[in-house]
Amino acid sequence: MNVGNDGNHAFLLLGLPAADRYAVAATREEAREAWERFSRLAGEPPVVQSYLPGRALGCSALARSGEVLAAVCHRRIREYPVSGGPSSCCQCVEREDIRTYAARLAAETGLTGLAMFEFKEDGEGRPRLLECNPRVWGTFPLTRVSGSGIPLLWCALAWNAGNPDNPAPLPALNPPRGRRMMWTWRSAR
């Protein structure tokens, strides 16, 4: 759906089926139609969020027992499809605010493992949490090209968890470099 404005707030409805992942509803009627469609497709009610007009940001982190051991933040430059979807191009940025949010969430949940905390800026430019993906995500290659050390540290922690009598040394970590990641096939469409 296209974003319109009838004087009401827009809503973002998220559905799980891969072919029809979300809809932006600018009117109550559009919201009702999207709600019914996603409820039918998924067999349960969809998640509803306020529409946020700003830039997309992410904080990729590796944590152990709630402590973030390494993190790299990025801002989305392009996405595919253009109307909203996964990053086709993103760049490392210094964003202590979202790094702090991610660390607080990791601590409060006792997170162990990888996670990508996704944010979107509101109308005043403040980051708002959209979701946490506790898995390998689409921008994971940026953790490597930025020099964050997350992939190697993840491997060492996994090895050590299964081999407590023969632990691997944890690698020294460097601050991430301001690199860019681009999925050429997504950007070329």
Side-chain angles (χ1 to χ4, degrees):
M1 287 182 207
N2 293 328
V3 178
N5 187 351
D6 67 354
N8 296 323
H9 290 85
F11 297 95
L12 176 64
L13 282 78
L14 305 171
L16 296 179
D20 194 10
R21 295 175 13 162
Y22 68 92
V24 176
T27 66
R28 290 188 185 280
E29 181 60 24
E30 289 177 350
R32 186 188 58 73
E33 289 172 7
W35 178 277
E36 290 172 0
R37 184 175 72 248
F38 286 131
S39 294
R40 248 189 341 271
L41 288 170
E44 62 187 16
V47 173
V48 179
Q49 297 176 323
S50 294
Y51 178 76
L52 297 170
R55 295 181 305 175
L57 303 162
C59 183
S60 304
L62 176 61
R64 179 175 54 190
S65 301
E67 177 190 2
V68 172
L69 304 174
V72 61
C73 299
H74 71 271
R75 73 174 167 84
R76 185 175 290 173
I77 296 170
R78 281 190 303 277
E79 55 194 34
Y80 182 83
V82 177
S83 59
S87 294
S88 60
C89 183
C90 60
Q91 181 160 352
C92 291
V93 293
E94 278 299 319
R95 289 293 300 251
E96 197 56 39
D97 53 349
I98 66 173
R99 187 184 300 259
T100 299
Y101 288 143
R104 280 190 7 219
L105 288 166
E108 290 192 26
T109 60
L111 177 69
T112 292
L114 293 169
M116 198 278 279
F117 299 87
E118 188 172 353
F119 298 85
K120 193 127 188 239
E121 292 176 336
D122 65 15
E124 284 78 47
R126 295 177 302 222
R128 301 293 184 205
L129 180 69
L130 293 180
E131 64 182 348
C132 173
N133 294 304
R135 58 175 170 75
V136 174
W137 51 91
T139 57
F140 186 76
L142 189 60
T143 65
R144 184 177 164 286
V145 299
S146 70
S148 72
I150 290 175
L152 184 56
L153 181 58
W154 182 37
C155 288
L157 292 171
W159 170 268
N160 293 349
N163 298 283
D165 297 330
N166 186 22
L170 299 182
L173 299 177
N174 297 312
R177 297 183 303 266
R179 296 294 168 97
R180 185 177 280 198
M181 183 207 80
M182 183 170 56
W183 289 103
T184 308
W185 65 272
R186 282 187 187 157
S187 291
R189 291 182 176 190

